Amino acid sequence: MGSVQRIASVINLDPEGIEEYEQLHAAVWPAVLAKISECNIQNYSIYRYGVLLFSYFEYVGEDMDGDMELMGQDPNTQDWWAVCKPLQRPVSEILEDEWWHTLPEVFHHD
Amino acid sequence: MGSVQRIASVINLDPEGIEEYEQLHAAVWPAVLAKISECNIQNYSIYRYGVLLFSYFEYVGEDMDGDMELMGQDPNTQDWWAVCKPLQRPVSEILEDEWWHTLPEVFHHD
């Protein structure tokens, strides 16, 4: 096993889209899940606090930028994002290349 | 290995307390970390979004309520909480027995 990179990030939902978003995520398309695994992402969870979504995953590969690019080129993932993104509202703090906004880690204990 | 229970929760910080909270959590007392491990909590991270803290951990024991009670009875942990709690501001949605507010999981992929 190489190193694990923990990535946490936030995005808002359209308040009108909460129900649809949760229904979609209760049954994510298998091809999308397969691509997530293929791109070295593990232990991926999303939680909701009001309209705020919090995402946590572990990247276990050697080239996260490269893997993220591969994921973005996958037609199934693109179709999935086309369904999900209209329900999302990026937070005002996003950087130029962000959709979800990455958070700083304050504490970790294995 | 038994089952893993993933627990995510939120709490606010006093805006004036962010720096102190982060300094404390950059060097959590070893006795507190040892008790966390002893109470079957693993892979514990805290992230910050503005004044909102997001916590994620995995409970790997067989009796989470019992282990949480053990943790609450530990004198070192009590001292630690006495330092940290004045910096925290529980969110308005907390239930009667909460300090941190537990969030529903919207999605998970191993």
Side-chain angles (χ1 to χ4, degrees), chain A residues 1-21:
Chain A
M1 285 290 290
S3 64
V4 172
Q5 238 178 302
R6 296 176 299 277
I7 308 289
S9 50
V10 289
I11 199 165
N12 282 310
L13 282 178
D14 175 356
E16 308 284 311
I18 292 174
E19 198 179 332
E20 184 178 350
Y21 193 88

Side-chain angles (χ1 to χ4, degrees), chain A residues 6 8 22 28 33 37 42-49 54 56 58 91 93 104 106-110, chain B residues 6 8 22 28 33 37 42-49 54 56 58 91 93 104 106-110:
Chain A
R6 296 176 299 277
E22 294 200 338
V28 174
L33 297 177
S37 299
Q42 290 183 358
N43 201 18
Y44 185 1
S45 299
I46 299 176
Y47 299 90
R48 184 172 65 79
Y49 174 53
F54 181 91
Y56 170 90
E58 292 162 4
V91 298
E93 296 86 350
V106 171
F107 167 74
H108 181 75
H109 180 56
D110 279 333
Chain B
R6 295 175 300 276
E22 295 200 336
V28 175
L33 297 177
S37 298
Q42 291 182 357
N43 201 17
Y44 185 1
S45 299
I46 299 177
Y47 299 91
R48 184 172 66 78
Y49 174 54
F54 181 92
Y56 171 90
E58 293 163 4
V91 299
E93 296 86 351
V106 170
F107 167 74
H108 181 74
H109 180 58
D110 279 333

Side-chain angles (χ1 to χ4, degrees), chain B residues 18-107:
Chain B
I18 292 175
E19 199 180 330
E20 184 178 351
Y21 192 87
E22 295 200 336
Q23 282 170 356
L24 283 164
H25 282 76
V28 175
W29 306 343
V32 170
L33 297 177
K35 180 57 71 172
I36 287 171
S37 298
E38 200 183 311
C39 290
N40 295 304
I41 287 175
Q42 291 182 357
N43 201 17
Y44 185 1
S45 299
I46 299 177
Y47 299 91
R48 184 172 66 78
Y49 174 54
V51 296
L52 186 70
L53 294 177
F54 181 92
S55 142
Y56 171 90
F57 66 79
E58 293 163 4
Y59 177 73
V60 297
E62 302 298 326
D63 176 14
M64 189 154 89
D65 288 345
D67 276 331
M68 294 299 128
E69 208 175 306
L70 278 182
M71 183 175 289
Q73 288 164 2
D74 174 54
N76 293 305
T77 300
Q78 287 170 2
D79 289 348
W80 174 253
W81 288 347
V83 175
C84 294
K85 282 191 166 188
L87 306 173
Q88 297 172 326
R89 301 286 178 272
V91 299
S92 59
E93 296 86 351
I94 50 167
L95 306 179
E96 208 177 323
D97 60 345
E98 288 186 328
W99 181 253
W100 288 76
H101 177 56
T102 302
L103 301 183
E105 183 177 282
V106 170
F107 167 74

